[in-house]
Amino acid sequence: MTEATSDARTRIDETVKSNPVVLFMKGTKTMPQCGFSSRVAGVLNYMGVDYADVNVLSDDAIRQGIKDYSDWPTIPQLYVKGEFVGGCDIITEMTLSGELDQLFEQNGVAYDKDAAEKIREANG
């Protein structure tokens, strides 16, 4: 493990553990720079979830490091209370099934239940 790799892992670990909800994404929550990141950020934004966003495009060590950290090959990656939840497809499925609501409730993460329901209605 190189020093840069070790440093990236430490920074990722601290970010994941110090924020209840973290989205590692391409771009930012206000300016996503890929469709998959935009979809997940859009769901979280619409549901009113307070989350930290980490732009992997601004740091190559973090961009590769997050893939190694989660052992998951793609970005975006969502973490809730220090646990890796999934990428775009998994978050989309969990949103539509109501599992994401349950995960937020179990972890004390505030979100707009009505907004979550509207997403399901629109995609039902």
Side-chain angles (χ1 to χ4, degrees), residues 4 6 18 25 29 37 40 43 47 49 59 63 77 82 104 112 118 122 124:
S6 176
S18 64
M25 62 184 293
K29 61 174 122 183
S37 291
V40 176
V43 164
M47 289 174 62
V49 175
D59 189 329
R63 185 176 187 169
Q77 294 186 11
F104 288 155
D112 183 336
K118 283 181 185 154

Side-chain angles (χ1 to χ4, degrees), residues 11-78:
R11 287 188 293 150
I12 290 166
D13 201 48
E14 287 171 357
T15 301
V16 164
K17 291 181 175 159
S18 64
N19 295 283
V21 183
V22 183
L23 181 62
F24 288 84
M25 62 184 293
K26 293 178 180 174
T28 64
K29 61 174 122 183
T30 55
M31 284 273 301
Q33 294 184 354
C34 93
F36 299 113
S37 291
S38 180
R39 183 181 305 167
V40 176
V43 164
L44 296 176
N45 292 342
Y46 188 75
M47 289 174 62
V49 175
D50 182 21
Y51 67 100
D53 55 338
V54 178
N55 182 359
V56 301
L57 297 178
S58 65
D59 189 329
D60 283 340
I62 296 292
R63 185 176 187 169
Q64 183 54 48
I66 193 60
K67 296 175 185 180
D68 298 337
Y69 184 84
S70 62
D71 198 24
W72 190 261
T74 59
I75 292 161
Q77 294 186 11
L78 182 67

Side-chain angles (χ1 to χ4, degrees), residues 66-120:
I66 193 60
K67 296 175 185 180
D68 298 337
Y69 184 84
S70 62
D71 198 24
W72 190 261
T74 59
I75 292 161
Q77 294 186 11
L78 182 67
Y79 289 78
V80 175
K81 295 287 178 152
E83 297 293 320
F84 174 60
V85 180
C88 185
D89 290 347
I90 290 170
I91 300 309
T92 300
E93 287 173 22
M94 288 179 72
T95 302
L96 296 179
S97 72
E99 287 176 81
L100 192 61
D101 301 40
Q102 293 170 357
L103 181 69
F104 288 155
E105 285 170 11
Q106 290 163 357
N107 287 285
V109 174
Y111 72 99
D112 183 336
K113 290 179 177 66
D114 292 335
E117 203 50 56
K118 283 181 185 154
I119 293 171
R120 285 188 282 281

